[in-house]
Amino acid sequence: MKSKIFKYFKNLIQVRQQHPVLGSYGTFAFVSIDVKTNVVVYKKYDENNEYIIYMNNSEKVNSVKGSFKNQIDLISNVKEDGTEISLEPFGIKIFKTK
């Protein structure tokens, strides 16, 4: 279990290093907050880059509807190609949109 958590956080650090806007740079803006499902969506951006972050702050699996055509989650490197994504409990997905 410790190894899995270590790998997850190591990957998060690597994503942040590769995409500085996700760190302290750029602008932060909420897109939506769903109090029923506890899903928060926000974006981080600057003049050249934009990222949409989906966070599930719930103990349950949740889904989010939207346009995810040819979007690659920077955390898992999994390509999403539909109108809905699934978020694991306390999961996060990050997409570069610009």
Side-chain angles (χ1 to χ4, degrees), residues 3 15 22-25 29 35 42 45 51-52 61 63-64 70-71 80 88 95:
S3 176
V15 167
L22 293 172
S24 349
Y25 305 104
V35 293
Y42 65 94
Y45 61 95
Y51 302 86
I52 303 290
V61 174
S63 61
V64 177
N70 295 317
Q71 292 291 314
E80 300 286 350
E88 293 298 317
F95 299 105

Side-chain angles (χ1 to χ4, degrees), residues 11 26 28 36 55-56 58-59 66 68 70-71 76 84 88-92 94:
N11 186 40
F28 172 95
K36 276 186 167 180
M55 292 177 41
N56 181 7
S58 168
E59 295 178 351
F68 302 100
N70 295 317
Q71 292 291 314
S76 66
E84 189 172 32
E88 293 298 317
F90 303 106
I92 182 170
I94 302 172

Side-chain angles (χ1 to χ4, degrees), residues 1-50:
M1 182 66 162
K2 284 184 182 181
S3 176
K4 186 176 180 179
I5 293 170
F6 176 76
K7 286 179 185 178
Y8 180 78
F9 280 103
K10 185 177 174 182
N11 186 40
L12 281 179
I13 291 167
Q14 185 178 23
V15 167
R16 185 175 170 180
Q17 288 173 339
Q18 292 171 347
H19 306 275
V21 172
L22 293 172
S24 349
Y25 305 104
T27 303
F28 172 95
F30 282 107
V31 175
S32 67
I33 300 171
D34 188 328
V35 293
K36 276 186 167 180
T37 62
N38 231 356
V39 172
V40 176
V41 182
Y42 65 94
K43 64 181 175 178
K44 288 284 304 243
Y45 61 95
D46 65 11
E47 57 278 349
N48 300 313
N49 303 283
E50 181 177 274

